[in-house]
Amino acid sequence: HTVLLHHGMVVVGLPYAFSAGAMMLWGRRSDRRGERIWHVALPALVGAAGFIASIYAGSSLGALCALGVASMGLYALLGPFWAIPPTFLAGTAAAGGIALINSIGNLGGFAGPYLIGWLKQSTGGFNAGMAALAAGLVGAALLILYLGRGLNRAQGSIDGRAPFPAPRPDESGPR
């Protein structure tokens, strides 16, 4: 019983450990390059690929690995995503904008499980739900690329970099 419990903890925890590493490394890369838009879009597409791969995985282990890739993409995009609003919002507008983004995300967290459950009940499996999650991530990637172009143009950036680059590692203060 104890061996199964520990084995299950490793199987469930390992993808999240890799996701935490991806989140830190990708966020650091985004900070060093001072670029946010592609650092959100690319992991969203990796996450979508992971969800699609889980549909076609031939085994439970393959599906778990594919979902681990999806998790890595989802977690890696969070740091660069949350670094974008302060580049064009300040003061109370920043507080309101971040609250609005968070509220929309909470609505997705509420409605998403119902959608996945409805799709599972309607189709008899999770494939349609995984496809819906992948489609949502592809849509998010396209949306951030589209909105990022307008944001960069409005703020004078021509190379896709954030208008307020992140501090260099040697300027970041105490570690």
Side-chain angles (χ1 to χ4, degrees):
H1 175 50
T2 306
V3 172
L4 288 176
L5 179 63
H6 290 302
H7 180 60
M9 290 170 50
V10 170
V11 168
V12 172
L14 202 55
Y16 288 102
F18 282 114
S19 297
M23 182 184 210
M24 290 186 288
L25 292 173
W26 196 248
R28 182 179 215 177
R29 184 179 190 275
S30 175
D31 284 348
R32 286 195 171 160
R33 294 181 183 245
E35 197 285 325
R36 305 291 185 222
I37 303 304
W38 283 100
H39 280 84
V40 173
L42 290 177
L45 295 174
V46 167
F51 283 126
I52 294 298
S54 74
I55 294 171
Y56 297 104
S59 67
S60 295
L61 180 60
L64 181 66
C65 290
L67 290 174
V69 169
S71 176
M72 289 171 62
L74 287 169
Y75 280 98
L77 69 80
L78 290 176
F81 172 81
W82 284 109
I84 294 172
T87 64
F88 62 91
L89 297 173
T92 57
I98 291 170
L100 177 63
I101 293 166
N102 196 37
S103 296
I104 293 168
N106 285 337
L107 288 174
F110 176 77
Y114 285 104
L115 173 66
I116 301 302
W118 179 77
L119 288 170
K120 182 188 182 297
Q121 193 171 31
S122 298
T123 64
F126 285 105
N127 290 353
M130 297 298 109
L133 292 172
L137 285 172
V138 169
L142 294 174
L143 183 63
I144 194 69
L145 289 172
Y146 176 76
L147 294 176
R149 282 184 40 179
L151 176 65
N152 288 331
R153 199 169 329 151
Q155 296 184 341
S157 174
I158 57 172
D159 62 355
R161 292 180 177 265
F164 304 109
R168 296 237 183 258
D170 57 335
E171 299 171 358
S172 62
R175 294 189 181 149

